[in-house]
Amino acid sequence: MACSTFVKLNASSSPWIGHQSFNQRARPSRQVAPRRVAVIRAGAYSDELVKTAKTIASPGRGILAIDESNATCGKRLSSVGLDNTEVNRQAYRQLLLTTPGLGEYISGAILFEETLYQSTTDGKKFVDCLREENIVPGIKVDKGLVPVPGSNNESWCQGLDGLASRSAEYYKQGARFAKWRTVVSIPCGPSALAVKEAAWGLARYAGISQDNGLVPIVEPEILLDGDHPIERTLEVAERVWAEVFYYLAENNVMFEGILLKPSMVTPGAEHKERASPETIAKYTLTMLNRRVPPAVPGIMFLSGGQSEMEATLNLNSMNQSPNPWHVSFSYARALQNSVLKSWQGRPENIEAAQKALLSRGKANSLAQLGRYSADGESDDAKKGMFVKGYTY
């Protein structure tokens, strides 16, 4: 059984968060015996978790995120004139998951629960389509965001109730990793309460996932909303990730068997000055080096409303020199936008849409290797996709 011990990261107090500390712990007034350090373990699945995480974090490959809820998938379909029906959702996801050669650039695919249990129109399970391309099937397990009572209009992610039994069933169906997304809003504070709730929920989910054979993707998304400078984003991101890793350690999560899905450190979407890819890479890698242990196999960035080209350029800049972890992508809109425009819901356009997916996959594969060039990118690839207050 693989075992490791880790030093806890202490999330210190900060005056910019609701005038409260993140996790103030009173010092004892008397001498106490040293506390024993817990052994981090992941039970019977330890070796498999490490192998799965390393497979996903393989050179030149990243994650295709197609885990949109039915409602969000409906928005995508409506953009090409299709109704939000199960048949149409299946047709779109079949287009994506049966793309020949997809495994050259994609190592994992995050699915919505409906998709995990679906098959192609020919009766072939989607999970089998992925396995044939050496792509690991994954599953979104959270149940969405709800308001945090007593916070500054902030949210927390629900879904811990029944997660163990659901995860066991997902494993039986072929899933080998999981995703749980929660968010932190800079314009809303963020409050110490909301950050602690996000970190604790992620840690509990991660522990439950590992206990059931699923590699957990840990995703506290720092939303792009706001007009703050990049320095503010860095400050918030450092505090959030300190809290996350503190509670991951408290829950005995094995770091070698997780993946991270952070947002890049950028200025707020409404900030008057845009940052260059080099600046974004510098600030993002600064945050990661300060907060993420090298035991973590892979960091799979979300695009968060950036244009297809922006997301690829920023990833490329982060891979211009060696990193302690595999630094790659887990994109949804930044991989699918061109696909939808090429497809338009027409069967005769499936081949063109699949070529568009391979094109974006190749671009991000090159970016993961630090070899991407934006020469020849289309105008559509340069269009930002940020939506204020965007919901999934």
Side-chain angles (χ1 to χ4, degrees), residues 288-304:
L288 294 175
N289 278 294
R290 289 174 176 173
R291 290 294 179 262
V292 180
V296 174
I299 297 173
M300 325 298 284
F301 282 100
L302 58 91
S303 56

Side-chain angles (χ1 to χ4, degrees), residues 172-184:
K172 289 179 183 177
Q173 185 63 17
R176 289 298 179 267
F177 72 101
K179 177 214 167 180
W180 176 288
R181 171 185 178 264
T182 193
V183 301
V184 173

